[in-house]
Amino acid sequence: MTYPHSHMTTGCKNCSDRSLRIMCDLSGQARVDFEALGMQMKLPKRAIIFQEDDVCDAATIVCMGQVKLSCTSREGKTHILKIAVPGDVLGMGAAISGAHFEVTAETIEPCVVKKIRRSELLAFLEKYGQASMLAAKALSEEYKSAFFDARRLALSGSTAGRLAGVLLDWGRAAAGCNGTDMRFTMALTHEELANLAGTSRETVTRALGKFQKEGLIEIHGSSFRVVSPTGLETLCS
């Protein structure tokens, strides 16, 4: 699959966050061989990386930017499942099992991704036990993320709680790379954020205003900062 305006970028060796990213944290010859796998590409906003029900031909690592993962019901309604962030591995399960993609992956801002062909990935995992363990860990993290997302939607008693959970997830992901500063760029529209939180656009707009007024978050344009993680956690419970 090709993408408009995509091109090669600098390799993995220049990434300052590789130790924080599951499949990138390799050592020795495994690290050298991993850097030689696949291709890094710059993708524009709204580029489709892969589509639901397509045959899996590659796994994709998000290096920079955010990617929306969604699925479509039989009635044609699209539901956003997750926003993938740097370090997330997309399509790993489908690549290993040889199944079709279960979701559609679309960039929501300009991104850098590393695509590794399925055949290359399988050969690499077979050669290096270290890489196989990291792949297993990536799949475990994917399962855990899906479980927590489902629990948030099913068990949170309020729309404010579901939205608070989404903001906390992003804040924690940002803090993982930048220390304790839970600051991130909101690349979703209020409509998309509402879809992710299982509510309406109007409710999201009101809730964000209320969170700001209560000093739980700060919003400056598309820049969000979680000021009171404890306050948001209370809403989630």
Side-chain angles (χ1 to χ4, degrees), residues 12 18 22-38 61 92 96 114 116-135:
C12 304
R18 62 181 304 136
I22 293 177
M23 279 303 295
C24 304
D25 191 22
L26 295 161
S27 59
Q29 189 60 42
R31 174 176 174 175
V32 174
D33 288 354
F34 182 75
E35 289 177 0
L37 289 179
I61 298 175
M92 174 70 79
I96 291 176
K114 181 183 178 75
I116 303 175
R117 288 185 301 178
R118 179 173 179 263
S119 58
E120 287 185 305
L121 177 64
L122 293 179
F124 180 75
L125 295 179
E126 184 176 357
K127 182 177 181 180
Y128 293 105
Q130 177 191 10
S132 295
M133 289 300 297
L134 291 179

Side-chain angles (χ1 to χ4, degrees), residues 2-165:
T2 58
Y3 302 89
H5 312 301
S6 65
H7 55 79
M8 296 288 289
T9 65
T10 55
C12 304
K13 64 182 178 181
N14 296 318
C15 177
S16 60
D17 297 321
R18 62 181 304 136
S19 64
L20 303 173
R21 299 173 178 177
I22 293 177
M23 279 303 295
C24 304
D25 191 22
L26 295 161
S27 59
Q29 189 60 42
R31 174 176 174 175
V32 174
D33 288 354
F34 182 75
E35 289 177 0
L37 289 179
M39 176 184 294
Q40 271 199 344
M41 299 180 293
K42 272 189 175 180
L43 303 180
K45 181 178 179 181
R46 303 302 179 188
I48 301 296
I49 299 174
F50 54 77
Q51 289 187 307
E52 183 180 1
D53 293 329
D54 281 354
V55 176
C56 177
D57 60 347
T60 302
I61 298 175
V62 182
C63 301
M64 293 177 59
Q66 300 179 76
V67 176
K68 177 175 67 177
L69 304 181
S70 64
C71 62
T72 304
S73 69
R74 292 181 180 178
E75 295 74 29
K77 183 177 180 180
T78 298
H79 179 63
I80 300 173
L81 301 171
K82 177 185 176 180
I83 303 301
V85 297
D88 283 344
V89 185
L90 313 180
M92 174 70 79
I96 291 176
S97 66
H100 291 208
F101 289 116
E102 297 179 345
V103 298
T104 295
E106 178 185 1
T107 62
I108 57 177
E109 61 183 355
C111 291
V112 176
V113 303
K114 181 183 178 75
K115 288 181 69 72
I116 303 175
R117 288 185 301 178
R118 179 173 179 263
S119 58
E120 287 185 305
L121 177 64
L122 293 179
F124 180 75
L125 295 179
E126 184 176 357
K127 182 177 181 180
Y128 293 105
Q130 177 191 10
S132 295
M133 289 300 297
L134 291 179
K137 185 177 180 181
L139 289 173
S140 175
E141 290 295 325
E142 184 179 314
Y143 168 80
K144 185 167 67 174
S145 175
F147 172 78
F148 282 122
D149 288 344
R151 187 176 69 174
R152 181 178 63 231
L153 287 174
L155 300 182
S156 179
S158 68
T159 54
R162 293 196 294 272
L163 180 59

